[in-house]
Amino acid sequence: MRPVQSHPVTAPARLADIAAQAGVSEATVSRVLNGKPGVAATTRQSVLAALDVLGYERPVRLRQRSAGLVGLITPELENPIFPALAQVIGQALTRQGYTPVLATQTPGGSTEDELTEMLVDRGVSGIIFVSGLHADTSADMNRYEQLRAQGVPFVLVDGFSPRVQAPFISPDDRAAMRLAVTHLVSLGHSRIGLALGPRRFVPVLRKIEGFVAAVGDQLALDAATIETELIQHSLYTLEGGQAAASALMDRGCTAVVCASDMMALGAIRAARQRGLEVPDDVSVVGFDDSPLIAFTDPPLTTVRKPVPAMGQAAVRTLLEEIGGTPAPHSEFVFMPELVVRGSTASCPRVARQRSGGANPTQV
């Protein structure tokens, strides 16, 4: 995308700047700006990219005509994973000639249905829904069938419903929990809790399935005990993570897996309020690998959501829908990755046994 403030190319000195940025001669820049033949497509693209980077307007004859508007509806922008996903999707759409229109729900503001209606009224070519009502098992899915009846292509990210005939893009939430639990068990933790959002959401249900299976397999606990003692529902916020982690630590958990990085930051706060250190006394694992999360104190161990791959797949799938070759009712599932940083360490008991210390007080 061009910078907000841009300026026409008028002076020879500016040609020199563009040539230096693009790594070509001034004569080549001049040929591109004047629409002359004899310039390779890759070279022409380099010159145009240099214009954008330096903040110069493209000559009218070179401006790409918009292939249409595409709506992107997100639940919020406070959680940094949503702006990160929006950026990937927006850039991918722009490269294909489309103009992204970001519509965000806010408390007390427009609902998903109202935002959808607004976008349809503006003649969007398609819509990408991120963590929308399609992820809520209690929501009415007829809204999506009505949208399809209007001839509007759409793709759904994060969440799956067998009742909606559309392509879905999801991370493998079950695998994410296996990665987190396996890591913590390898560090000697045997009392591992899970902090996550309301149960009615599909990603929550899948994380519970993965967590119960992994803890059951690796720590030989029955599902009823895991569900009752080691899982705590809350809100996908820092405060929600703090409340959930506090409850889990009350039940003796020495490690907490959180369903978002924001919740994980809340879990770290909960530990510190008790005079505990992360990771010396309590280990914390997040989910998403949001921007800047590597620079928290301590740097957060987290399960990285494959945002670039998911965003690009959402755009590619939507453009196929727009082009008249719709994907079948299916779900494209992307594998997450464990990123180990500084918020996880050996269980206090294991660490002290290794160092020859006395048995610790139970956390």
Side-chain angles (χ1 to χ4, degrees):
M1 297 182 189
R2 294 198 308 273
V4 175
Q5 292 186 342
S6 57
H7 310 282
V9 181
T10 55
R14 303 245 171 96
L15 289 182
D17 293 340
I18 298 165
Q21 177 69 31
V24 299
S25 68
E26 291 183 39
T28 298
V29 173
S30 180
R31 284 198 295 273
V32 171
L33 295 181
N34 289 294
K36 300 293 185 182
V39 180
T42 53
T43 302
R44 186 180 302 274
Q45 191 58 43
S46 295
V47 172
L48 295 178
L51 286 174
D52 295 342
V53 168
L54 295 173
Y56 298 144
E57 292 180 3
R58 295 187 183 192
V60 174
R61 70 175 72 86
L62 299 179
R63 293 178 192 170
Q64 185 178 33
R65 184 179 177 85
S66 174
L69 305 176
V70 169
L72 171 61
I73 299 180
T74 65
E76 55 158 311
L77 291 178
E78 292 183 1
N79 186 331
I81 198 63
F82 293 123
L85 190 54
Q87 182 177 31
V88 171
I89 291 173
Q91 290 175 341
L93 286 169
T94 302
R95 283 195 296 269
Q96 297 300 320
Y98 286 85
T99 301
V101 180
L102 178 61
T104 305
Q105 300 175 60
T106 54
S110 299
T111 65
E112 180 181 309
D113 291 338
E114 290 168 342
L115 293 174
T116 301
E117 183 179 359
M118 177 196 73
L119 292 170
V120 172
D121 287 345
R122 282 160 176 73
V124 294
S125 301
I127 300 175
I128 297 174
F129 294 88
V130 177
S131 297
L133 291 170
H134 64 277
D136 188 339
T137 58
S138 67
D140 183 359
M141 296 298 153
N142 286 332
R143 53 175 46 89
Y144 298 109
E145 293 310 311
Q146 292 170 6
L147 184 60
R148 181 169 295 284
Q150 293 177 272
V152 180
F154 59 92
V155 172
L156 304 162
V157 180
D158 275 346
F160 177 80
S161 173
R163 295 174 285 162
V164 181
Q165 296 296 311
F168 292 81
I169 309 292
S170 303
D172 192 332
D173 289 299
R174 300 180 184 91
M177 294 299 100
R178 286 198 300 272
L179 288 170
V181 170
T182 300
H183 170 61
L184 292 169
V185 170
S186 74
L187 293 172
H189 293 275
S190 59
R191 191 74 175 170
I192 302 169
L194 174 62
L196 73 180
R199 191 181 181 91
R200 69 179 186 274
F201 294 110
V202 172
V204 170
L205 293 172
R206 290 178 168 181
K207 285 183 175 72
I208 290 173
E209 290 175 13
F211 181 79
V212 170
V215 172
D217 290 343
Q218 299 185 45
L219 297 175
L221 294 177
D222 63 273
T225 299
I226 297 170
E227 292 251 12
T228 303
E229 299 181 13
L230 302 181
I231 295 176
Q232 184 66 41
H233 295 277
S234 188
L235 300 176
Y236 278 113
T237 61
L238 189 147
E239 293 77 14
Q242 181 178 349
S246 183
L248 291 168
M249 286 187 283
D250 283 343
R251 299 173 204 155
C253 290
T254 61
V256 179
V257 180
C258 298
S260 77
D261 290 336
M262 294 296 286
M263 294 187 80
L265 296 181
I268 293 173
R269 178 193 281 181
R272 286 176 174 163
Q273 284 188 337
R274 293 168 174 248
L276 302 175
E277 292 294 328
V278 176
D280 294 343
D281 301 309
V282 179
S283 287
V284 176
V285 179
F287 179 82
D288 282 337
D289 197 27
S290 310
L292 302 181
I293 211 67
F295 305 103
T296 57
D297 179 25
L300 187 66
T301 295
T302 189
V303 180
R304 176 179 293 158
K305 192 173 187 175
V307 167
M310 289 176 59
Q312 291 161 14
V315 171
R316 186 166 56 249
T317 305
L318 181 68
L319 297 188
E320 289 175 356
E321 294 266 324
I322 293 172
T325 55
H329 176 231
S330 57
E331 183 178 22
F332 302 94
V333 180
F334 291 80
M335 187 67 184
E337 174 189 359
L338 178 69
V339 182
V340 179
R341 298 193 180 105
S343 66
T344 51
S346 294
C347 177
R349 177 181 294 104
V350 174
R352 287 172 184 162
Q353 286 174 346
R354 286 174 179 170
S355 64
N359 288 335
T361 302
Q362 283 289 327
V363 176

